[in-house]
């Protein structure tokens, strides 16, 4: 059976919409929708939120995700998604066939 992990990047320092990941959207924080959708899909062994923000981390845990606190050098306006995903995969000590 193939193994899959979902990684949700959620930086705390958004400039266009400050604190967007924790803003209320249809009765819950925006990030909760992504977490719940990934969990409810039953496609992933793990759902991991990569963040630099402790409030986002707390909300992610509340909604059932694991949390990976990313290093500061991967939490700026110029960091692409791939290095963030690679950082999580390098630090979880589990091999997966698929990553979303």
């Amino acid at each position: 059976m193939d193994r899959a992990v979902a990684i949700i990047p959620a930086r705390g320092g958004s400039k266009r919409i400050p604190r967007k990941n924790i803003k209320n959207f249809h009765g819950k924080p925006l990030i909760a929708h992504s977490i719940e959708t990934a969990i409810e899909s039953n496609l992933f062994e793990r759902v991991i939120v990569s963040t630099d923000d402790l409030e986002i981390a707390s909300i992610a845990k509340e909604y059932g995700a694991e949390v990976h606190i990313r290093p500061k050098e991967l939490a700026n306006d110029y960091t692409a998604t791939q290095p963030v995903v690679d950082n999580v995969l390098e630090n979880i000590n589990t091999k997966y066939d698929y990553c979303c």
Side-chain angles (χ1 to χ4, degrees), residues 7 11 13 25 35 39 43 52 58 62 73 77 84 92 99:
I7 299 174
R11 190 170 67 89
F25 182 73
I35 293 167
I39 291 170
L43 295 172
D52 61 322
S58 177
E62 177 183 340
E73 63 268 14
D77 293 342
V84 172
I92 59 175
C99 173

Side-chain angles (χ1 to χ4, degrees), residues 3 8 10 18 48-50 52 57 59 72 78 90-92 100:
R3 302 177 73 198
I8 302 170
I48 303 171
V49 171
S50 173
D52 61 322
I59 291 168
K72 289 184 190 268
Y78 305 103
E90 290 165 4
N91 287 283
I92 59 175
C100 176

Side-chain angles (χ1 to χ4, degrees), residues 14-27:
S14 176
K15 301 286 190 276
R16 288 178 285 181
I17 304 174
R19 310 297 294 153
K20 71 179 175 198
N21 289 298
I22 61 171
K23 287 208 180 287
N24 188 316
F25 182 73
H26 288 273

Side-chain angles (χ1 to χ4, degrees), residues 20-96:
K20 71 179 175 198
N21 289 298
I22 61 171
K23 287 208 180 287
N24 188 316
F25 182 73
H26 288 273
K28 61 184 89 166
L30 182 62
I31 192 158
H33 295 276
S34 300
I35 293 167
E36 289 179 338
T37 299
I39 291 170
E40 290 170 6
S41 76
N42 292 315
L43 295 172
F44 307 104
E45 287 183 24
R46 296 166 77 177
V47 175
I48 303 171
V49 171
S50 173
T51 188
D52 61 322
D53 185 282
L54 295 180
E55 189 173 9
I56 292 172
S58 177
I59 291 168
K61 287 178 187 176
E62 177 183 340
Y63 282 90
E66 295 177 48
V67 172
H68 173 79
I69 301 296
R70 72 172 85 162
K72 289 184 190 268
E73 63 268 14
L74 293 178
N76 64 61
D77 293 342
Y78 305 103
T79 302
T81 302
Q82 190 63 55
V84 172
V85 170
D86 290 344
N87 178 257
V88 174
L89 292 173
E90 290 165 4
N91 287 283
I92 59 175
N93 299 320
T94 305
K95 299 290 182 198
Y96 290 94

